[in-house]
């Protein structure tokens, strides 16, 4: 390991901390629980489904229309969309006959708003994230990851995320968090120079565009990383990106599909088919139209505190198929939509959209879409109170002015009365790019 001395000390300290914690009774108990749930079990999945539907019908005000059914079926429940979760948050919470929530430790989470519709969710400490950990354990076993090690994470990170952090479950790892590579951001460049190629990496994970950017960074500098697995999430990676990643890291890309509302749901097999984990996150994929594309509808089977039933993800998939790879679950030939996109600055540079989308969500905008048809200008389409959205635009533009100065970057232009734009298949993307972005590294450090 060739880290600078202070980082090497921090890194080694975390490894020792992780090692100590693996000997605790807490860790052994949690690992036993995850290992007991890791085998795919359709029978247990049916039990979870029946328990979830019965609880929702009896105890969730939003589903009062199915309350009189003795044994409600999945199809008896209405489809759930983001706006339903956002506008009826209180009515989605499970309560007993006295109006009290079930005993337990509860916590709130908010989705990132990367789809233009941030949502607040309620979960319990007992089940919140459990299906994610179980699916991640299955995924780790599929990739052949070691029981402990290091992961290089280039995902969508919150401000203030530490460079190194321990992650105990489902397997104890030290995680190195890097923002998207931005050659114009000295702090990001310094982090990459300090850590990339300085220590062995067991797994590389992150949003598709940032994994590709990391691969290009390593290729351009002759850096060799040989992880056991390369995991891409959020955006779908084009074949050209897969080729770059495979050349750089000597491993194929494996896509992991998830939504903020339902958690991890599916991952790719070696034949690049997507296998849904039906015993934890139940999919409905019914083809509509002549092209066979279908909306993906998911039910999170461990979401009893705030049941997420028949959630319309906004993503599309081809009709289910058979797969002879040996992995279980509903299978599709990949997914449609969620393509990566760049913003084009006045200077012709490419900018990542994630910081802007996060800022818009953090400002409390309930529903929005960003449309670009000319360099340096982004039309922000919103619904709801106009003045609040206009104030948000003024604030963000002021911050962009301070960062970019003249003749660089982009600014927002509020378009409250414009309608949202949809794809030919009816999907509403958070960013609509009508320009051809340059094939250059995305700038990400602007907000």
């Amino acid at each position: 390991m060739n880290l600078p001395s202070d980082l090497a000390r921090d890194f080694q300290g975390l490894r020792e901390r992780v090692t100590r914690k693996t000997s605790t009774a807490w860790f052994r108990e949690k690992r036993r629980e995850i290992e007991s749930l890791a085998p795919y079990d359709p029978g247990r999945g049916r039990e979870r489904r029946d328990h979830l539907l019965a609880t929702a019908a009896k105890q969730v005000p939003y589903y009062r229309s199915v309350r009189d059914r003795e044994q409600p079926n999945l199809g008896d429940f209405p489809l759930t969309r983001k706006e339903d979760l956002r506008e009826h948050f209180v009515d989605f919470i499970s309560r007993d006959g006295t109006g009290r929530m079930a005993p337990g430790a509860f916590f709130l989470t908010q989705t990132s708003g990367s789809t233009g519709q941030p949502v607040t969710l309620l979960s319990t400490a007992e089940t919140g994230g459990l299906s994610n950990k179980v699916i991640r354990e299955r995924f780790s076993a599929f990739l052949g990851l070691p029981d402990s090690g290091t992961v290089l994470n280039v995902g969508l990170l919150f401000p203030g995320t530490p460079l190194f952090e321990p992650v105990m479950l489902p397997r104890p790892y030290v995680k190195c968090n890097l923002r998207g590579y931005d050659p114009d951001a000295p702090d990001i460049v310094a982090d990459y120079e300090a850590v990339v190629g300085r220590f062995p990496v067991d797994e590389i994970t992150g949003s598709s565009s940032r994994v590709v950017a990391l691969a290009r960074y390593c290729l351009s500098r002759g850096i060799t990383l040989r992880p056991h697995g390369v995991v891409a999430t959020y955006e779908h990676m084009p074949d050209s990106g897969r080729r770059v990643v495979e050349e750089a890291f000597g491993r194929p890309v494996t896509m992991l599909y998830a939504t903020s509302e339902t958690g991890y749901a599916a991952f790719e097999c070696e034949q690049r088919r997507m296998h849904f984990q039906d015993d934890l996150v139940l999919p409905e994929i019914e083809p509509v139209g002549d092209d066979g594309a279908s909306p993906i509808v998911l039910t999170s089977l461990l979401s009893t505190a705030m049941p997420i039933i028949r959630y319309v993800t906004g993503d599309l998939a081809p009709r289910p198929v058979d797969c002879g790879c040996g992995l279980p679950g509903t299978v599709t030939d990949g997914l449609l939509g969620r393509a990566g996109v760049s913003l084009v600055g006045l200077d012709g540079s490419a900018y990542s959209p994630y910081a802007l989308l996060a800022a818009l969500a953090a400002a409390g905008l309930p529903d929005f879409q960003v449309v670009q048809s000319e360099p340096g200008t982004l039309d922000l389409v919103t619904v709801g109170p106009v003045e609040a959205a206009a104030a948000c635009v003024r604030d963000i533009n002021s911050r962009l002015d301070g960062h970019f100065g003249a003749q660089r970057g982009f600014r927002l232009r509020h378009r409250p009365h414009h309608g949202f734009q949809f794809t030919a298949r009816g999907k509403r993307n958070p960013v609509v790019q009508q320009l051809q972005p340059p094939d250059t590294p995305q700038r990400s450090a602007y907000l």
Side-chain angles (χ1 to χ4, degrees):
M1 186 168 60
N2 191 30
L3 293 171
S5 59
D6 55 339
L7 291 180
R9 186 168 54 252
D10 293 344
F11 186 85
Q12 187 60 36
L14 282 179
R15 291 185 77 103
E16 293 171 358
R17 175 181 167 189
V18 166
T19 300
R20 288 195 301 271
K21 203 160 186 177
T22 58
S23 64
T24 64
W26 171 87
F27 177 78
R28 291 195 297 269
E29 178 184 350
K30 293 298 182 182
R31 276 298 303 172
R32 280 195 295 268
E33 181 179 21
I34 292 170
E35 289 171 353
S36 71
L37 298 175
Y40 183 86
D41 190 338
R44 188 151 46 179
R46 289 189 291 271
E47 292 175 0
R48 295 180 184 126
R49 179 201 61 196
D50 293 345
H51 174 68
L52 177 74
L53 299 184
T55 300
K58 294 178 181 177
Q59 299 185 11
V60 178
Y62 187 80
Y63 297 119
R64 60 176 60 89
S65 62
V66 297
R67 187 159 295 173
D68 294 334
R69 299 182 184 272
E70 184 174 345
Q71 291 183 320
N73 296 312
L74 188 63
D76 295 330
F77 288 80
L79 295 174
T80 302
R81 293 175 170 81
K82 285 183 184 291
E83 54 267 28
D84 299 319
L85 293 172
R86 190 178 63 243
E87 295 172 8
H88 303 283
F89 170 77
V90 173
D91 288 339
F92 272 97
I93 298 173
S94 178
R95 303 172 185 275
D96 64 19
T98 67
R100 293 184 177 182
M101 296 164 57
F106 295 86
F107 62 90
L108 293 173
T109 59
Q110 185 176 48
T111 65
S112 65
S114 59
T115 62
Q117 294 176 292
V119 172
T120 299
L121 302 170
L122 178 77
S123 188
T124 67
E126 292 78 17
T127 61
L130 180 58
S131 63
N132 279 355
K133 292 181 177 63
V134 173
I135 292 174
R136 189 81 203 193
E137 174 62 21
R138 294 174 182 176
F139 189 57
S140 299
F142 169 71
L143 291 177
L145 298 181
D147 289 339
S148 64
T150 57
V151 55
L152 191 58
N153 172 40
V154 287
L156 308 181
L157 304 175
F158 292 102
T161 302
L163 182 60
F164 294 121
E165 66 175 328
V167 178
M168 294 303 300
L169 299 172
R171 300 185 182 193
Y173 269 64
V174 173
K175 183 162 66 171
C176 176
N177 298 305
L178 291 174
R179 290 168 289 173
Y181 183 69
D182 186 340
D184 288 343
D187 55 339
I188 294 178
V189 172
D191 284 346
Y192 272 70
E193 291 178 347
V195 302
V196 177
R198 301 294 190 98
F199 61 91
V201 173
D202 297 294
E203 178 188 0
I204 293 172
T205 186
S207 63
S208 294
S209 59
R210 294 186 176 183
V211 171
V212 173
L214 175 65
R216 288 174 171 162
Y217 177 91
C218 291
L219 288 172
S220 68
R221 290 160 176 79
I223 296 173
T224 300
L225 296 177
R226 287 294 178 262
H228 293 270
V230 180
V231 182
T233 59
Y234 186 68
E235 316 145 315
H236 300 307
M237 183 176 288
D239 288 342
S240 59
R242 288 180 185 263
R243 288 192 292 269
V244 170
V245 172
E246 186 169 352
E247 178 186 358
F249 305 132
R251 291 288 185 277
V253 175
T254 303
M255 294 295 303
L256 175 62
Y257 176 65
T259 74
S260 298
E261 292 77 14
T262 59
Y264 296 148
F267 56 84
E268 282 183 334
C269 67
E270 293 176 349
Q271 299 178 37
R272 286 175 54 177
R273 291 193 175 107
M274 194 68 72
H275 289 248
F276 284 83
Q277 305 300 293
D278 300 23
D279 61 337
L280 290 165
V281 184
L282 184 63
E284 297 175 75
I285 305 175
E286 298 295 333
V288 295
D290 296 334
D291 61 0
S294 172
I296 300 173
V297 177
L298 298 178
T299 296
S300 176
L301 300 181
L302 293 182
S303 60
T304 310
M306 182 178 177
I308 308 298
I309 297 174
R310 307 194 72 201
Y311 175 70
V312 181
T313 66
D315 295 313
L316 303 171
R319 66 178 70 247
V321 297
D322 293 326
C323 185
C325 74
L327 288 178
T330 298
V331 185
T332 70
D333 276 322
L335 301 173
L336 308 172
R338 277 200 186 185
V341 68
S342 294
L343 309 176
V344 180
L346 190 63
D347 52 350
S349 297
Y351 293 90
S352 168
Y354 300 130
L356 175 63
L357 295 175
L360 292 169
L365 292 186
D367 216 349
F368 59 83
Q369 185 179 57
V370 176
V371 181
Q372 183 167 35
S373 56
E374 58 183 283
T377 300
L378 308 178
D379 288 328
L380 179 66
V381 182
T382 64
V383 299
V386 172
E387 185 49 42
C392 167
V393 169
R394 289 193 295 269
D395 173 65
I396 290 179
N397 277 343
S398 174
R399 293 155 62 191
L400 294 174
D401 284 338
H403 176 78
F404 289 128
Q407 302 304 311
R408 292 183 64 245
F410 55 85
R411 307 296 186 275
L412 295 173
R413 180 170 59 188
H414 193 204
R415 291 287 187 262
H417 303 299
H418 288 215
F420 293 131
Q421 296 189 29
F422 297 84
T423 67
R425 291 191 173 101
K427 177 177 173 59
R428 197 191 89 192
N429 290 316
V431 178
V432 177
Q433 181 52 271
Q434 299 173 346
L435 303 176
Q436 181 62 43
D439 187 18
T440 58
Q442 287 185 339
R443 273 64 178 169
S444 59
Y446 54 83
L447 281 175

